[in-house]
Amino acid sequence: MSSDQSNGAEPQPKNAGQPEKAPRSMSATTTRRALAAVAAGAVVAAIATFAIAGGFNRSENLPAHSTGSGPQATGSVEGDAFASAAAGDCLDWTPSNDPQEDRKDVAKVDCSEEHRFEVAAPLDLSVYPGAEFGPGSRYPGALRFAALRDEHCVPAVDTYLGAKFDPYGKFSVGLMFPSESGWAAGERTLRCGLQFSSTAGTLLPFTGKVAEQDQSNIWDPGTCIGINQNVPTDPVDCAQPHAFEVISVVDLATQFPASMPTVEDQDKYLEGVCTQAANEYLGSADALRNKTLTLFWDNLELDSWLAGSRRVNCSVGKETDAGGFSTITGSAKGEILINGAAPVPPPPIPEGRSIPTPLPGAAPVPGN
């Protein structure tokens, strides 16, 4: 079965189709906006390539259908776990790069164990008006399934979580649907649900039910996020090429226990907190400058705050002039390469000077 891809709960770019927001916020406003454009462009390109399992067309013209007895098996070849999965069930499988083998061993697991999909509601296409999904109908295909996800699964997830879904958070809306063989066998009941996907779209395992945990879109300190054409991808070992390295997790509720802070107030607070975290993580106050890295952090949106998300990441990376990320190899705690070369520390700041050292060839500073 699939989640927006034939044969499986589809890999998708993180937050694809969801309200646009840069996954990372640089400390400088201009840099923050430039990286937002890069991240958004990557999402658009991925939507054109894949059938995405997220999306926020909030049309509720045809709500998901379910009965008191839950979804019914319809002679599908997809197996008992998919045929009987109901709201609250958690599903897992062995991922494979071969689309013919991927998701063939879907099984129900206890939600306290690692899983890749949490069912929010069944979607029975047999009650859909018209003959589009009737007996003997043509397999809809990935794009049509993606449209169905947008129309039905977003409101289904909102209902399932009691309107506490963070559209910018760790989890995204997904749709699991039968493979072509399952469709030919008569399977018409799909499953809307929640999944955790990386920036590049790989479905990652998670534990616990979504309603019982913080949905903040964070990574653990020490996590390095891979890179492809200057755009962040999946978590990788820091010895591998990557875009940035997470250095800390900050709980904004400690500083702002009541109402949500503005982005400006978040930035003022995070500048100090993330700077201190960088000094401690890298081992000195000069390390960030000497390694020519950029410190940046995330911001929380109102929808995230209302859903209960309070935590953000501080990270270090290296921006490019074009607005993406440079390629870093090695953990920022030690020796690193940036685009294959060791960073060259800038000239030291002369003691007692408040005026920066002029660049070679620059006009002399008046009074000097």
Side-chain angles (χ1 to χ4, degrees):
M1 86 268 350
S2 291
S3 150
D4 294 332
Q5 179 187 40
S6 62
N7 280 342
E10 157 129 351
Q12 69 168 50
K14 181 64 180 174
N15 294 336
Q18 300 184 15
E20 182 178 312
K21 178 181 182 289
R24 303 285 158 206
S25 299
M26 305 300 283
S27 55
T29 301
T30 54
T31 305
R32 182 163 55 237
R33 299 301 173 240
L35 291 179
V38 171
V43 168
V44 170
I47 289 174
T49 306
F50 304 109
I52 308 305
F56 288 85
N57 174 352
R58 295 187 176 269
S59 168
E60 300 185 33
N61 295 332
L62 291 167
H65 296 274
S66 62
T67 64
S69 59
Q72 302 297 308
T74 58
S76 168
V77 299
E78 301 302 334
D80 293 340
F82 179 70
S84 62
D89 286 337
C90 292
L91 304 176
D92 196 31
W93 55 85
T94 303
S96 172
N97 292 328
D98 183 352
Q100 299 303 318
E101 296 297 325
D102 197 24
R103 288 92 174 177
K104 275 198 170 182
D105 59 347
V106 173
K108 291 182 185 179
V109 299
D110 191 287
C111 292
S112 63
E113 302 175 10
E114 284 193 344
H115 54 277
R116 288 172 171 79
F117 197 83
E118 180 179 340
V119 180
L123 174 59
D124 186 359
L125 295 183
S126 68
V127 301
Y128 202 99
E132 181 182 7
F133 307 123
S137 59
R138 180 181 178 182
Y139 190 63
L143 292 178
R144 184 66 178 111
F145 281 127
L148 290 169
R149 174 212 58 224
D150 292 348
E151 294 170 4
H152 306 301
C153 292
V154 171
V157 164
D158 281 341
T159 299
Y160 177 69
L161 293 181
K164 289 294 184 179
F165 175 63
D166 181 354
Y168 304 106
K170 175 179 179 179
F171 302 99
S172 56
V173 176
L175 173 67
M176 294 189 73
F177 51 83
S179 62
E180 292 192 52
S181 57
W183 185 270
E187 179 62 75
R188 295 296 185 273
T189 304
L190 289 56
R191 272 80 191 170
C192 296
L194 292 149
Q195 56 197 30
F196 173 36
S197 58
S198 68
T199 304
T202 304
L203 291 187
L204 303 175
F206 63 98
T207 58
K209 289 198 171 184
V210 173
E212 299 170 357
Q213 58 187 291
D214 187 341
Q215 298 177 49
S216 298
N217 187 18
I218 57 171
W219 300 100
D220 292 333
T223 301
C224 287
I225 303 300
I227 189 168
N228 182 19
Q229 296 182 345
N230 299 336
V231 176
T233 58
D234 299 340
V236 298
D237 187 287
C238 290
Q240 302 298 314
H242 55 273
F244 60 86
E245 182 173 348
V246 177
I247 63 171
S248 71
V249 175
V250 180
D251 187 348
L252 291 178
T254 59
Q255 178 70 13
F256 307 101
S259 60
M260 175 186 165
T262 65
V263 171
E264 289 75 16
D265 287 340
Q266 292 181 48
D267 284 344
K268 289 178 183 178
Y269 174 62
L270 290 169
E271 181 174 5
V273 172
C274 291
T275 298
Q276 180 179 349
N279 295 343
E280 295 174 357
Y281 188 86
L282 301 180
S284 76
D286 298 324
L288 187 72
R289 181 174 184 271
N290 289 340
K291 294 181 178 182
T292 69
L293 295 174
T294 306
L295 173 65
F296 57 100
W297 52 83
D298 299 327
N299 294 116
L300 285 180
E301 301 285 352
L302 178 60
D303 285 349
S304 299
W305 189 271
L306 294 177
S309 297
R310 296 292 186 273
R311 296 186 294 166
V312 299
N313 278 143
C314 303
S315 305
V316 293
K318 174 74 172 181
E319 63 177 309
T320 67
D321 293 338
F325 286 97
S326 298
T327 299
I328 299 174
T329 306
S331 171
K333 288 184 175 182
E335 299 297 324
I336 62 172
L337 297 178
I338 300 178
N339 292 333
V344 178
I349 301 174
E351 294 184 9
R353 288 185 59 130
S354 60
I355 301 175
T357 302
L359 296 174
V365 178
N368 285 353

